[in-house]
Structure formats: C-alpha cells, structure tokens
C-alpha cells in the first residue's frame, strides 16, 4: 500500500462572489521513501495541494489517506496530533519565530511532547548538526543568512523524525549556490529514509527527485 | 522547551506592550485596593471612636409638646406643658443590671434666661461629671467651683462681652465668670453653664431636671439592653441611645462605600477592556506565529494555553503591584479622609489575596475570547502568500 494516496481531490475557495477551483480532481500515489517534486505555474494549485497533504486544509471533495489513516476523517485535535507526530513542514518564507534562538525554534515541535528538557535539547542540536548549523545554536533568526534560516526551518521539520517531509518552495528565496546546498540536504534526508514532497519553480531541482508532478489549473498534466 | 517558555519569551519580546497592559491592570487593582482599604480603615476608626466616647444614652422627658433640639438631638419639647424628671429618680439608673457599664450620669436642667440685653440658654450641670463626658472641652480660666461661678460657651462669651474673672448679674444675683470654653463647634458654644442646684433655683425648677446624659463604659457593651433597663426604672422618661455623632459619619462612610463600589465597577470594566484590546491586538499580530504553531501540530488547546498563560503572568504581576501601590495610596490618602489623626491603616491578607485573585480572574476572563480567536486561526490562511 502506498504511503500517501489521494483520489479525485478537489479544493474550491470562496473568493467574494465566485469560487476559485484551486484543485479540480487530483489523483496521486506516493510510496514510502520517494522524493517527489511538484511543479507548475503560479496559481496552479501547488501550495494548496501541499497544505491539503499536510492536513491543514480541508478538501472540498476527496480523501487523503496517509499511512493508512484517512486524514480528514480524524476527529478534532487528532489531526493536529498527526501533524505533530508524522509530518514535517518547511515553508518558503521560513516562518521562524523571531524571538526564539535557532535551537529554540527547532525545539518548538517538542514543546508539546513529553520528554526531558535535556533530551529535547540534544534532539534539537542533533537536527541542527545534520543541517550543518551545529555552531550557531544560539543565534536569533535575524542573525542568520537566508540559507541558514532555511536550514533551521528544515531542522525544525525533521526534529521529531517525521515519516513525511513537506516543503513549499524551500529554495524560492535563495541564490543558486545556497539552493544547491539545501537540495543536497533534502536529498540526503531522503536517502536516510524520509519521504519528501517538495514544491518548486526551478526545473533544476527536479534532478534530485524520483518523480516530478506538474500541475496546471488544478489538474495534473504530467507525472 | 515547554509551552510556558514560549509565553515567557513572547512576553520578554513585547516588553512595551506588556508593560502597558501591566500598568493598566495595576492601576485598576491599586484603585480598588485603595478604596477598599480606605473604607475599612475609616470604619475601624469610627468604631474605635464610638468606643472611646462610650455610647451615650440620653434620658429625656416624655413629651407631647414641640420638639426642641440640643446638639442635634431631639429633646422632649421644652414647652409649657413640659414634664420634667425628678432629680431624685436618677439615682435609680445606678441600680440597673448593667450598672457596672455606666461610667457617668450627667443630669442637666435647661431654660431660657435674660442676661443684660440678651436671652440665653442656661444649662445647669454637675461640672465634675460633665467634664468626664466632654473630654474635648478646653477651658480658658477655670471650671466653676462655687455656686456663684459660671462657665460660658465661646460664642456666649463674645456676645455677652465677658471674659474669665469678670462679674455679671443674673436675676439680680452676682456671678463670676470662672472660665470660657474654647470653640467646640457644637451647641455648647452658645450656652451659659452654671452649677445644677443654682440653675434649678434660677429657673424655678428645684429638684427637677430636663435631661440626663449617661455615658456607658464599654467596647461593645449592650447599649440596647441598657436603654431598656433604664426605661424600666424611669417609666416617665424617654430613654434613647445617641448615635447621631457617629451615625452622621457612618452615613458619609456608607456613601463613600457606595461610591467606591461604583468606582471599582468602572475600573474593572476599563481594566477588562484594556486586557481584551491588548490581547486581541497581540493575537492578531501573531497570526503567522500561531499559524506555524498549528502547522507543526499544536492543538487548539495548546494555543489557548500559551495565550492564557501570558495573560496569567501579566495579571499576577499586576495583582501584586496593584496591591502594593494600592496600600501605598491608602496610606497617603487616609490622613485626609479619616477624622482622627490616629486612624490606622487596616492590613488584611484577604485584600492581598483578593487583589491578586481579582487581577487573575479579570486578566483571564478578558483573554478567553482572544485566546479562542487565536486557537481558531486557520494555519493555511495565516501562512498564505507570505
Ligand atoms: N485561501 C484562499 N482563498 C481564495 N483563493 C485562494 C486561497 N488560496 C489559494 N487561492 C487561489 O487558489 C489558486 C491556487 O493557489 P496556490 O497558492 O495553491 O497556487 P500556487 O501554485 O502555490 O502558486 P504560487 O506558485 O504563486 O505559490 C490561486 O488562484 C489562488 O489565488
Ligand atoms: Mg504557492
């Protein structure tokens, strides 16, 4: 059985009088350990697809099955728990908490986990070590470069060892060299066993991927 | 890293806003503490004073005539059909069950008399017991010792133009002014005091008295019972407890209390509003942050906890500061509000706990809606296009 399976997924947004059909019937199967990129023009529905996959955006129609769980049938807060335990999310704009240090930002997902503080600390510094920021644990986000902030965001996404890593344009704000570094990092994480689903504008990034999905106007046009 | 670390870190980052919130709440709590402490201290001051003076009991004749006033106390009418109390009967007062609580019985005879060109009210008193009753009297000169000496109220002395040591004639008899009272601000200022037997003779009321004041020696003694007991012994007299002196003050205090409650209500309302608006603003500023929390799997209840914890920390601080400043304010204001200079500030642990409790309740109640609002934020919406 596939790790992620979505069938006939539709997502409509109400936008004033009209509805925007962001996703108009998408079917995807993703196996455990795959590295998938999602491409497509601006407004084609990439972010929408990723947030639906991430359990943060209720679809208008269709189901998302992930590791045998029908995400949007989960009662109330169980969906949040699923996100906390099995998913890691990397945002294009990093979205680090400005008043927390790199280490604290990475510890954030562990704030709701029963664990000794020392263990949280070592887990977070290990994650930062993995992304190559072992020496900058106590920096605040505004004391880090864009690439470094992105790495902190990745460390935060992997600190609880999620099965699935979802990344929305993680290289969108980075120059080409830093982009390469981040891609190499994601690819390394993938080799370590993490399933990676990544939205990108840059076709170059696709060479790290096992497969590329292209969206146009809310439909898959190429797999 | 626990949820409270997030709250604490956020508070540290938003020092100015949180300081504003703390000050707002502190002022509110301080106002309430000051008002409550002031009213308490003032009532304890009045209670103490009531004890100091003894609660006086007034014995007056039963009367169906016109009312006449003495020191704001309604006496039986000193009118033509005036019934009077026999001086001899007063001895019976000392035989009541609670006679041990009686410190002084001061009989008086009252009547109008002419001195020179003026009509004055002559009061016959027993100076020894009168001075015990009116400890605030200050006499220039001496208290009368013989029957031919009199004491003048300060206004009476001015109008009659008489000073200590000078002589005057009343009904053809020669008297000497032994002393003049310092201004008392009471009816005493206008009176002419003479020894009781002499006054009775001058007024033609030998053996009779107009009223008697009874000073009870007590802190919390049964004034009501004593009044009944005396009334039983003197069936022809009207016996009442004088509480007017303090009653007026109690009434003022009561008004101040009501004003305090109204103020407290306004302050609580404004305080809640400040908390609500500040927390709401803070939550709205933190949309992205809350979106991130939700995205990485924080439950709605976790978000609520973060926000409410921040409110609780600020409220706790404001409660403590409010108590401290409130007591300071009460200490500064008490001398202006209380009548006696010896009024003591009432320190009360319930007020300390009450103010912290009130601050917490207020802060949390006003933050519940902002916290719920935060927990309901949609993470995708929050993180979109950013
Ligand atoms: N919350 C929303 N409300 C209304 N319309 C929305 C909402 N979110 C997305 N849309 C619309 O849905 C469509 C798909 O948006 P989406 O963000 O998924 O595109 P995208 O492929 O990620 O674009 P980009 O490359 O610019 O990030 C767009 O037309 C967008 O305007
Ligand atoms: Mg997008």
């Amino acid at each position: 059985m596939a790790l992620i399976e979505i069938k006939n997924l539709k997502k409509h947004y109400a936008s004033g009088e009209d509805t925007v059909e962001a996703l108009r019937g998408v079917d995807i199967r993703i196996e455990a350990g795959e590295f998938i990129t999602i491409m497509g023009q601006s407004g084609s529905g990439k972010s929408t697809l990723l947030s639906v996959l991430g359990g943060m955006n209720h679809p208008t129609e269709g189901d998302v099955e992930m590791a045998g769980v029908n995400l949007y049938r989960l009662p109330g807060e169980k969906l949040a728990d699923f996100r906390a335990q099995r998913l890691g999310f990397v945002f294009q704009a990093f979205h680090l908490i400005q008043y927390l240090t790199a280490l604290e930002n990475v510890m954030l997902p562990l704030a709701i986990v029963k664990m000794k503080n020392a263990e949280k600390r070592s887990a977070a510094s290990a994650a930062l070590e993995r992304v190559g920021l072992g020496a900058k644990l106590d920096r605040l986000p505004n004391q880090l470069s864009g690439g470094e902030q992105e790495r902190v965001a990745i460390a935060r996404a992997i600190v609880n060892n999620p099965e699935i890593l979802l990344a929305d344009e993680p290289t969108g704000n980075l120059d080409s060299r830093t982009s390469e570094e981040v891609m190499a990092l994601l690819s390394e994480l993938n080799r370590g066993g993490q399933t990676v689903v990544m939205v990108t504008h840059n076709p170059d990034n696709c060479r790290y991927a096992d497969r590329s999905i292209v969206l146009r106007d809310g439909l898959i046009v190429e797999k | 890293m626990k949820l409270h670390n997030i709250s604490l870190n956020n508070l540290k980052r938003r020092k100015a806003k949180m300081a504003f919130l703390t000050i707002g709440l502190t002022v509110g709590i301080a106002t309430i503490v000051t008002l409550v402490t002031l009213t308490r201290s003032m009532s304890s001051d009045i209670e103490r004073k009531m004890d100091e003076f003894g609660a006086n009991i007034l014995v007056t004749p039963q009367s169906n005539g016109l009312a006449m006033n003495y020191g704001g106390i309604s006496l039986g009418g000193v009118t033509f059909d005036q019934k009077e109390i026999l001086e001899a009967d007063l001895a019976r007062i000392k035989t009541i069950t609670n006679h041990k609580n009686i410190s002084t019985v001061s009989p008086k005879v009252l009547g109008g008399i002419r001195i020179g060109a003026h009509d004055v009210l002559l009061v016959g008193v027993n100076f020894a017991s009168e001075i015990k009753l009116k400890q605030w009297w200050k006499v220039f000169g001496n208290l009368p010792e013989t029957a031919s000496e009199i004491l003048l109220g300060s206004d009476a002395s001015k109008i009659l133009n008489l000073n200590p040591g000078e002589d005057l004639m009343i009904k053809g008899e020669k008297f000497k002014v032994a002393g003049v009272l310092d201004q008392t601000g009471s009816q005493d200022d206008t009176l002419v005091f003479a020894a009781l037997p002499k006054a009775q003779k001058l007024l033609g009321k030998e053996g009779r008295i107009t009223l008697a004041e009874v000073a009870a020696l007590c802190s919390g003694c049964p004034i009501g019972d004593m009044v009944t007991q005396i009334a039983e012994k003197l069936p022809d007299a009207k016996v009442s407890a004088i509480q007017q002196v303090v009653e007026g003050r109690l009434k003022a205090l009561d008004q101040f209390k009501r004003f305090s409650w109204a103020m407290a209500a306004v302050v609580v309302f404004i305080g809640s509003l400040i908390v609500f608006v500040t927390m709401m603003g803070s939550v709205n500023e933190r949309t992205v942050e809350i979106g991130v929390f939700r995205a990485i799997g924080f439950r709605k209840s976790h978000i609520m906890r973060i926000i409410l914890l921040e409110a609780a920390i600020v409220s706790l601080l404001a409660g403590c500061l409010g108590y401290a400043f409130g007591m300071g304010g009460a200490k500064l204001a008490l001398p202006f509000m209380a009548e006696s200079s010896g009024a003591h500030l009432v320190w009360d642990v319930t007020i300390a706990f009450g103010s912290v409790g009130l601050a917490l309740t207020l802060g949390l109640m006003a933050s519940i809606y902002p916290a719920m609002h935060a927990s309901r934020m949609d993470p995708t919406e929050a993180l979109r296009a950013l």
Side-chain angles (χ1 to χ4, degrees):
Chain A
M1 201 176 89
L3 178 64
I4 302 170
E5 182 155 15
I6 59 180
K7 278 198 204 114
N8 193 28
L9 189 81
K10 292 184 181 166
K11 177 69 194 183
H12 299 172
Y13 293 110
S15 159
E17 297 272 289
D18 1 298
T19 47
V20 180
E21 299 185 11
L23 296 175
R24 302 190 293 157
V26 174
D27 303 287
I28 304 178
R29 277 172 71 96
I30 298 173
E31 302 297 329
E34 275 195 295
F35 191 139
I36 309 275
T37 52
I38 300 174
M39 305 262 294
Q41 289 172 343
S42 185
S44 57
K46 305 181 296 293
S47 296
T48 303
L49 178 59
L50 206 68
S51 64
V52 172
L53 281 177
M56 295 191 291
N57 200 355
H58 281 255
T60 312
E61 221 184 294
D63 287 320
V64 178
E65 256 189 54
M66 213 175 258
V69 179
N70 192 329
L71 274 198
Y72 293 98
R73 297 268 167 84
L74 283 176
E77 304 279 58
K78 286 277 184 291
L79 186 53
D81 294 348
F82 187 93
R83 283 201 296 273
Q85 288 153 16
R86 331 237 350 212
L87 296 178
F89 224 104
V90 182
F91 310 95
Q92 176 180 353
F94 322 137
H95 290 321
L96 299 179
I97 308 299
Q98 294 301 314
Y99 56 88
L100 298 178
T101 63
L103 186 70
E104 288 167 338
N105 263 291
V106 177
M107 283 165 81
L108 211 52
L110 304 177
I112 54 172
V113 176
K114 264 217 167 75
M115 209 175 178
K116 285 216 185 76
N117 211 37
E119 288 174 32
K120 292 182 185 179
R121 229 160 233 288
S122 61
S125 47
L128 279 165
E129 206 80 55
R130 270 173 89 185
V131 300
L133 279 178
K136 297 179 174 173
L137 304 182
D138 294 325
R139 299 273 190 96
L140 287 171
N142 59 15
Q143 297 167 329
L144 293 170
S145 73
E148 288 169 336
Q149 289 187 50
E150 188 70 62
R151 285 153 189 268
V152 175
I154 293 172
R156 182 175 67 188
I158 61 170
V159 71
N160 53 352
N161 268 314
E163 294 156 65
I164 302 156
L165 194 60
L166 303 171
D168 195 350
E169 298 190 45
T171 60
N173 285 338
L174 306 177
D175 62 40
S176 57
R177 235 188 71 201
T178 331
S179 288
E180 284 300 310
E181 284 169 19
V182 168
M183 285 312 297
L185 177 62
L186 287 175
S187 150
E188 192 192 313
L189 290 171
N190 174 244
R191 279 199 298 281
Q194 238 128 17
T195 307
V196 180
V197 181
M198 184 186 110
V199 169
T200 183
H201 266 124
N202 186 351
D204 286 352
N205 291 338
C206 294
R207 62 198 155 85
Y208 292 92
D210 301 320
R211 266 194 302 147
S212 209
I213 294 170
V214 179
L215 280 178
R216 185 184 296 153
D217 295 334
L219 285 172
I220 292 181
V221 292
E222 200 180 309
K223 285 199 195 184
Chain B
M1 165 78 49
K2 294 231 174 68
L3 289 181
H4 68 254
N5 296 101
I6 300 174
S7 305
L8 283 172
N9 272 305
N10 179 57
L11 289 180
K12 266 188 235 154
R13 177 183 57 142
R14 295 160 181 266
K15 280 199 194 86
K17 270 230 171 74
M18 291 307 138
F20 169 74
L21 185 54
T22 312
I23 291 169
L25 257 182
T26 302
V27 168
I29 300 295
T31 312
I32 293 173
V33 168
T34 303
L35 289 174
V36 170
T37 306
L38 269 184
T39 36
R40 288 213 176 181
S41 303
M42 282 158 70
S43 31
S44 91
D45 180 38
I46 288 174
E47 270 162 32
R48 209 165 42 85
K49 221 176 271 169
M50 248 165 132
D51 285 350
E52 222 170 64
F53 290 153
N56 294 326
I57 296 168
L58 199 66
V59 181
T60 52
Q62 299 274 15
S63 169
N64 39 22
L66 291 165
M68 187 171 164
N69 262 285
Y70 171 80
I73 301 147
S74 176
L75 311 181
V78 184
T79 51
F80 308 108
D81 66 338
Q82 172 81 57
K83 289 180 197 159
E84 272 150 343
I85 304 167
L86 293 177
E87 197 180 346
D89 289 345
L90 285 183
R92 280 190 258 151
I93 293 177
K94 299 258 182 176
T95 66
I96 64 167
T97 323
N98 282 95
H99 66 272
K100 283 208 179 104
N101 287 331
I102 295 172
S103 88
T104 320
V105 177
S106 174
K108 288 186 180 60
V109 68
L110 285 156
I113 206 159
R114 212 168 169 79
I115 299 178
H118 300 279
D119 277 321
V120 297
L121 192 59
L122 178 71
V123 188
V125 297
N126 181 340
F127 283 107
S129 51
E130 193 69 12
I131 195 75
K132 256 167 109 182
L133 210 65
K134 298 186 171 165
Q135 295 180 9
W136 58 89
W137 268 11
K138 243 174 79 187
V139 181
F140 298 114
N142 300 304
L143 276 180
E145 276 158 16
T146 67
S148 60
E149 287 181 321
I150 58 160
L151 178 72
L152 296 178
S154 69
D155 293 347
S157 125
K158 266 179 224 136
I159 285 170
L160 298 172
N161 198 18
L162 288 167
N163 289 313
E166 293 179 353
D167 293 336
L168 72 156
M169 301 293 288
I170 303 174
K171 283 202 168 168
E173 250 184 87
K174 194 171 138 189
F175 288 86
K176 192 176 141 205
V177 178
V180 170
L181 285 180
D182 192 13
Q183 197 86 29
T184 63
S186 71
Q187 179 111 28
D188 291 350
D189 291 346
T190 63
L191 300 179
V192 174
F193 296 88
L196 183 62
K198 194 74 193 174
Q200 285 169 329
K201 214 176 193 176
L202 286 172
L203 297 169
K205 297 177 179 178
E206 280 101 334
R208 289 171 298 165
I209 58 157
T210 319
L211 69 129
E213 277 179 300
V214 181
L217 238 198
C218 49
S219 149
C221 66
I223 295 297
D225 292 351
M226 291 171 71
V227 166
T228 334
Q229 289 164 9
I230 296 172
E232 277 167 14
K233 299 283 178 191
L234 303 173
D236 288 336
K238 187 174 146 207
V239 184
S240 47
I242 309 180
Q243 267 157 352
Q244 273 93 334
V245 189
V246 277
E247 228 164 52
R249 247 176 266 160
L250 282 175
K251 217 177 243 168
L253 187 69
D254 205 48
Q255 275 172 346
F256 181 69
K257 256 185 201 161
R258 251 179 270 166
F259 161 79
S260 299
W261 284 117
M263 279 284 284
V266 171
V267 160
V268 164
F269 178 72
I270 294 176
S272 313
L273 213 62
I274 290 178
V275 175
F276 179 82
V277 170
T278 316
M279 290 309 280
M280 208 62 194
S282 154
V283 161
N284 283 330
E285 268 175 36
R286 292 163 76 186
T287 308
V288 173
E289 185 183 321
I290 292 164
V292 171
F293 292 156
R294 291 287 283 145
I296 63 177
F298 283 24
R299 290 178 166 202
K300 288 183 177 171
S301 57
H302 292 135
I303 308 288
M304 296 264 297
R305 247 151 61 194
I306 293 173
I307 309 281
L308 290 180
L309 195 62
E310 286 170 20
I313 293 169
V314 169
S315 306
L316 210 65
L317 185 65
C320 295
L321 288 177
Y323 177 68
F325 283 116
M327 289 308 286
K331 191 165 187 157
L332 288 179
L334 189 58
F336 300 101
M337 305 291 291
E339 302 241 344
S340 70
S341 53
H344 290 296
L345 207 58
V346 177
W347 291 86
D348 191 343
V349 272
T350 48
I351 294 185
F353 284 113
S355 53
V356 174
L358 178 68
L360 264 179
T361 322
L362 221 153
L364 289 179
M365 294 282 275
S367 303
I368 283 179
Y369 181 77
M372 289 201 342
H373 177 71
S375 77
R376 287 205 205 108
M377 280 178 179
D378 180 0
T380 26
E381 194 69 34
L383 302 179
R384 201 168 93 87
L386 285 163

